[in-house]
Short mmCIF file of all heavy atoms in Angstrom, two decimals:
data_model
loop_
_atom_site.label_atom_id
_atom_site.label_comp_id
_atom_site.label_asym_id
_atom_site.label_seq_id
_atom_site.Cartn_x
_atom_site.Cartn_y
_atom_site.Cartn_z
N HIS A 1459 -23.60 2.85 -48.69
CA HIS A 1459 -24.52 3.52 -49.62
C HIS A 1459 -24.35 2.92 -51.00
O HIS A 1459 -23.23 2.73 -51.47
CB HIS A 1459 -24.19 5.02 -49.67
CG HIS A 1459 -25.24 5.84 -50.36
ND1 HIS A 1459 -26.29 6.41 -49.68
CD2 HIS A 1459 -25.42 6.18 -51.65
CE1 HIS A 1459 -27.07 7.06 -50.53
NE2 HIS A 1459 -26.56 6.94 -51.74
N SER A 1460 -25.47 2.62 -51.63
CA SER A 1460 -25.41 2.12 -53.01
C SER A 1460 -25.83 3.24 -53.94
O SER A 1460 -26.68 4.05 -53.60
CB SER A 1460 -26.36 0.93 -53.14
OG SER A 1460 -26.73 0.76 -54.49
N THR A 1461 -25.22 3.28 -55.12
CA THR A 1461 -25.62 4.32 -56.07
C THR A 1461 -26.90 3.91 -56.81
O THR A 1461 -27.33 4.59 -57.73
CB THR A 1461 -24.48 4.65 -57.08
OG1 THR A 1461 -24.04 3.44 -57.69
CG2 THR A 1461 -23.33 5.31 -56.39
N GLY A 1462 -27.50 2.82 -56.39
CA GLY A 1462 -28.86 2.52 -56.88
C GLY A 1462 -28.92 1.35 -57.83
O GLY A 1462 -28.03 1.15 -58.66
N THR A 1494 -35.15 2.63 -59.83
CA THR A 1494 -34.40 2.05 -58.71
C THR A 1494 -35.23 2.03 -57.44
O THR A 1494 -36.02 2.93 -57.19
CB THR A 1494 -33.08 2.83 -58.45
OG1 THR A 1494 -33.41 4.13 -57.98
CG2 THR A 1494 -32.23 2.94 -59.69
N GLN A 1530 -33.69 9.93 -43.76
CA GLN A 1530 -33.05 11.22 -43.52
C GLN A 1530 -34.05 12.18 -42.90
O GLN A 1530 -35.21 12.18 -43.30
CB GLN A 1530 -32.64 11.80 -44.85
CG GLN A 1530 -31.18 11.68 -45.11
CD GLN A 1530 -30.86 12.31 -46.43
OE1 GLN A 1530 -30.98 11.65 -47.46
NE2 GLN A 1530 -30.49 13.56 -46.42
N ASP A 1538 -29.32 18.56 -51.01
CA ASP A 1538 -29.45 17.35 -51.83
C ASP A 1538 -30.92 17.02 -52.08
O ASP A 1538 -31.28 16.59 -53.18
CB ASP A 1538 -28.75 16.15 -51.18
CG ASP A 1538 -28.84 14.92 -52.08
OD1 ASP A 1538 -28.30 14.98 -53.20
OD2 ASP A 1538 -29.47 13.93 -51.69
N TYR A 1542 -31.79 16.78 -55.81
CA TYR A 1542 -32.05 15.44 -56.36
C TYR A 1542 -33.43 15.40 -57.02
O TYR A 1542 -33.60 14.85 -58.11
CB TYR A 1542 -31.91 14.35 -55.30
CG TYR A 1542 -31.80 12.99 -55.96
CD1 TYR A 1542 -30.57 12.50 -56.36
CD2 TYR A 1542 -32.94 12.25 -56.25
CE1 TYR A 1542 -30.46 11.29 -57.02
CE2 TYR A 1542 -32.84 11.04 -56.91
CZ TYR A 1542 -31.60 10.57 -57.29
OH TYR A 1542 -31.51 9.38 -57.96
N ARG A 1545 -33.14 17.14 -60.26
CA ARG A 1545 -32.37 16.34 -61.24
C ARG A 1545 -33.24 15.23 -61.82
O ARG A 1545 -33.15 14.91 -63.00
CB ARG A 1545 -31.14 15.72 -60.57
CG ARG A 1545 -30.01 16.72 -60.35
CD ARG A 1545 -28.98 16.17 -59.41
NE ARG A 1545 -28.34 14.98 -59.92
CZ ARG A 1545 -27.83 14.01 -59.16
NH1 ARG A 1545 -27.90 14.09 -57.85
NH2 ARG A 1545 -27.26 12.97 -59.72
N THR A 1550 -30.90 15.15 -65.30
CA THR A 1550 -29.54 15.48 -64.85
C THR A 1550 -29.07 14.57 -63.71
O THR A 1550 -28.27 14.99 -62.88
CB THR A 1550 -29.46 16.97 -64.43
OG1 THR A 1550 -30.51 17.25 -63.48
CG2 THR A 1550 -29.61 17.90 -65.60
N VAL A 1551 -29.59 13.34 -63.69
CA VAL A 1551 -29.14 12.40 -62.65
C VAL A 1551 -27.77 11.82 -63.02
O VAL A 1551 -26.86 11.76 -62.21
CB VAL A 1551 -30.17 11.27 -62.43
CG1 VAL A 1551 -29.60 10.20 -61.50
CG2 VAL A 1551 -31.46 11.82 -61.84
N GLU A 1552 -27.62 11.42 -64.28
CA GLU A 1552 -26.41 10.68 -64.67
C GLU A 1552 -25.22 11.61 -64.89
O GLU A 1552 -24.85 11.92 -66.02
CB GLU A 1552 -26.69 9.87 -65.95
CG GLU A 1552 -27.58 8.67 -65.71
CD GLU A 1552 -29.06 8.94 -65.92
OE1 GLU A 1552 -29.45 10.13 -65.91
OE2 GLU A 1552 -29.83 7.98 -66.08
N SER A 1553 -24.64 12.06 -63.81
CA SER A 1553 -23.48 12.94 -63.89
C SER A 1553 -22.54 12.57 -62.74
O SER A 1553 -22.96 12.56 -61.57
CB SER A 1553 -23.93 14.40 -63.74
OG SER A 1553 -22.93 15.18 -63.15
N LEU A 1556 -22.20 15.28 -59.96
CA LEU A 1556 -23.45 15.49 -59.21
C LEU A 1556 -23.77 14.28 -58.34
O LEU A 1556 -24.25 14.43 -57.20
CB LEU A 1556 -24.61 15.81 -60.16
CG LEU A 1556 -24.49 17.14 -60.92
CD1 LEU A 1556 -25.69 17.34 -61.85
CD2 LEU A 1556 -24.35 18.33 -59.97
N ILE A 1557 -23.53 13.06 -58.83
CA ILE A 1557 -23.79 11.87 -58.00
C ILE A 1557 -22.79 11.84 -56.84
O ILE A 1557 -23.17 11.59 -55.69
CB ILE A 1557 -23.69 10.56 -58.83
CG1 ILE A 1557 -24.79 10.52 -59.90
CG2 ILE A 1557 -23.79 9.33 -57.92
CD1 ILE A 1557 -24.75 9.30 -60.82
N ALA A 1558 -21.52 12.12 -57.14
CA ALA A 1558 -20.49 12.07 -56.08
C ALA A 1558 -20.85 13.04 -54.95
O ALA A 1558 -20.81 12.69 -53.76
CB ALA A 1558 -19.12 12.40 -56.66
N ALA A 1559 -21.22 14.27 -55.31
CA ALA A 1559 -21.54 15.27 -54.28
C ALA A 1559 -22.82 14.89 -53.54
O ALA A 1559 -22.91 15.07 -52.31
CB ALA A 1559 -21.68 16.65 -54.93
N SER A 1560 -23.79 14.35 -54.24
CA SER A 1560 -25.05 13.95 -53.62
C SER A 1560 -24.82 12.84 -52.59
O SER A 1560 -25.27 12.93 -51.44
CB SER A 1560 -26.02 13.48 -54.73
OG SER A 1560 -27.06 12.70 -54.22
N VAL A 1561 -24.10 11.82 -52.99
CA VAL A 1561 -23.87 10.67 -52.09
C VAL A 1561 -22.98 11.10 -50.92
O VAL A 1561 -23.32 10.88 -49.74
CB VAL A 1561 -23.21 9.51 -52.85
CG1 VAL A 1561 -22.73 8.42 -51.89
CG2 VAL A 1561 -24.18 8.91 -53.88
N MET A 1562 -21.84 11.74 -51.23
CA MET A 1562 -20.88 12.02 -50.16
C MET A 1562 -21.37 13.10 -49.19
O MET A 1562 -21.07 13.04 -48.01
CB MET A 1562 -19.51 12.39 -50.76
CG MET A 1562 -18.81 11.24 -51.41
SD MET A 1562 -18.75 9.72 -50.40
CE MET A 1562 -17.64 10.21 -49.07
N LYS A 1564 -24.35 13.43 -48.10
CA LYS A 1564 -25.24 12.73 -47.16
C LYS A 1564 -24.43 11.85 -46.21
O LYS A 1564 -24.70 11.79 -45.01
CB LYS A 1564 -26.24 11.86 -47.93
CG LYS A 1564 -27.37 12.69 -48.53
CD LYS A 1564 -28.37 11.82 -49.25
CE LYS A 1564 -27.78 11.24 -50.51
NZ LYS A 1564 -28.68 11.02 -51.61
N PHE A 1584 -26.88 3.81 -62.80
CA PHE A 1584 -26.64 5.11 -63.44
C PHE A 1584 -25.32 5.10 -64.20
O PHE A 1584 -25.16 5.81 -65.18
CB PHE A 1584 -26.67 6.23 -62.39
CG PHE A 1584 -28.03 6.40 -61.76
CD1 PHE A 1584 -28.19 6.40 -60.39
CD2 PHE A 1584 -29.16 6.54 -62.55
CE1 PHE A 1584 -29.45 6.54 -59.81
CE2 PHE A 1584 -30.42 6.68 -61.99
CZ PHE A 1584 -30.56 6.69 -60.61
N LEU A 1594 -16.24 7.48 -60.71
CA LEU A 1594 -17.16 7.91 -59.64
C LEU A 1594 -16.69 7.37 -58.28
O LEU A 1594 -16.63 8.11 -57.29
CB LEU A 1594 -18.57 7.41 -59.95
CG LEU A 1594 -19.62 7.64 -58.85
CD1 LEU A 1594 -19.81 9.13 -58.57
CD2 LEU A 1594 -20.98 7.02 -59.25
N1 URA B 2107 -27.81 8.05 -55.07
C1 URA B 2107 -27.74 9.28 -54.49
O1 URA B 2107 -27.86 9.40 -53.28
N2 URA B 2107 -27.54 10.34 -55.28
C2 URA B 2107 -27.39 10.26 -56.60
O2 URA B 2107 -27.19 11.27 -57.24
C3 URA B 2107 -27.48 8.98 -57.21
C4 URA B 2107 -27.68 7.88 -56.42
#
Side-chain angles (χ1 to χ4, degrees):
H1459 193 91
S1460 157
T1461 53
T1494 66
Q1530 256 181 275
D1538 183 62
Y1542 196 87
R1545 284 166 63 208
T1550 52
V1551 172
E1552 288 92 342
S1553 150
L1556 295 179
I1557 295 177
S1560 161
V1561 170
M1562 290 311 291
K1564 283 182 290 213
F1584 295 127
L1594 173 61

